[in-house]
Amino acid sequence: MIGLQFPAYDFRFQDRTQGRYIFDIIRKKYVFLTPEEWVRQNLLHYLIDQQGYPKGLISIEKEIKVNGLKKRYDMVVFDRSRRPWMLIECKEAQVSITDDVLRQLLRYHQVLQCPYWMLSNGRQNFCAAVAEGHVEWLSRLPFYNG
């Protein structure tokens, strides 16, 4: 497991009749603030601000087809050639990172074939390097050198 400490980011919020919204710097719009979205936004800012991952090469909640079904991944970081580099699955803090969460990520991985995976609920963070069917769980996030 990787210990991450999210700094206090200067998020932009909007309160609407439906509830609170947070500005997503990738999607360039306000999105409904769920507990999972809170984790996703903190992790997104951490990857950009603390890890130096390029903002322009991160994709949030895009649709893919998995076994003929429409699914949405949480986050993908692309390399500079626009190939999927890291697949990230986020859960809200109260949802433990279990084998079921890993299986969900693996279904998306069948389509995207990223060399890195990440699973996070904001408290539990796991990252793995994947090469030729071999998985190595890492003790820290990889440097972006895409």
Side-chain angles (χ1 to χ4, degrees), residues 57-82:
L57 294 175
I58 297 175
S59 174
I60 305 278
E61 288 209 318
K62 295 290 184 183
E63 188 176 283
I64 58 172
K65 288 235 181 191
V66 178
N67 298 323
L69 301 173
K70 291 180 182 179
K71 300 290 183 180
R72 294 179 83 79
Y73 59 72
D74 280 316
M75 196 180 316
V76 171
V77 180
F78 292 88
D79 66 17
R80 297 200 191 286
S81 298
R82 304 275 186 208

Side-chain angles (χ1 to χ4, degrees), residues 107-124:
R107 286 190 293 273
Y108 301 161
H109 178 72
Q110 288 175 345
V111 175
L112 296 168
Q113 296 295 309
C114 297
Y116 292 100
W117 304 335
M118 183 173 185
L119 302 160
S120 178
N121 66 6
R123 294 179 300 111
Q124 297 174 296

Side-chain angles (χ1 to χ4, degrees), residues 8-128:
Y9 294 110
D10 189 21
F11 292 115
R12 294 185 344 211
F13 297 100
Q14 276 188 353
D15 290 315
R16 300 180 184 173
T17 55
Q18 304 92 336
R20 188 159 241 213
Y21 286 70
I22 188 168
F23 189 77
D24 183 304
I25 61 172
I26 301 299
R27 293 178 273 186
K28 295 183 173 56
K29 66 178 184 177
Y30 284 91
V31 295
F32 188 68
L33 182 57
T34 63
E36 181 176 315
E37 190 64 46
W38 181 247
V39 171
R40 184 171 26 251
Q41 291 300 317
N42 273 278
L43 182 57
L44 172 64
H45 282 261
Y46 183 85
L47 293 175
I48 294 168
D49 297 344
Q50 266 51 58
Q51 294 293 122
Y53 287 23
K55 177 178 156 185
L57 294 175
I58 297 175
S59 174
I60 305 278
E61 288 209 318
K62 295 290 184 183
E63 188 176 283
I64 58 172
K65 288 235 181 191
V66 178
N67 298 323
L69 301 173
K70 291 180 182 179
K71 300 290 183 180
R72 294 179 83 79
Y73 59 72
D74 280 316
M75 196 180 316
V76 171
V77 180
F78 292 88
D79 66 17
R80 297 200 191 286
S81 298
R82 304 275 186 208
R83 290 181 305 243
W85 182 73
M86 180 185 283
L87 171 61
I88 301 168
E89 180 61 31
C90 297
K91 296 295 180 193
E92 66 180 80
Q94 284 68 37
V95 175
S96 294
I97 303 299
T98 63
D99 287 345
D100 287 339
V101 176
L102 176 59
R103 279 191 285 277
Q104 179 183 359
L105 180 136
L106 291 174
R107 286 190 293 273
Y108 301 161
H109 178 72
Q110 288 175 345
V111 175
L112 296 168
Q113 296 295 309
C114 297
Y116 292 100
W117 304 335
M118 183 173 185
L119 302 160
S120 178
N121 66 6
R123 294 179 300 111
Q124 297 174 296
N125 304 282
F126 299 93
C127 189

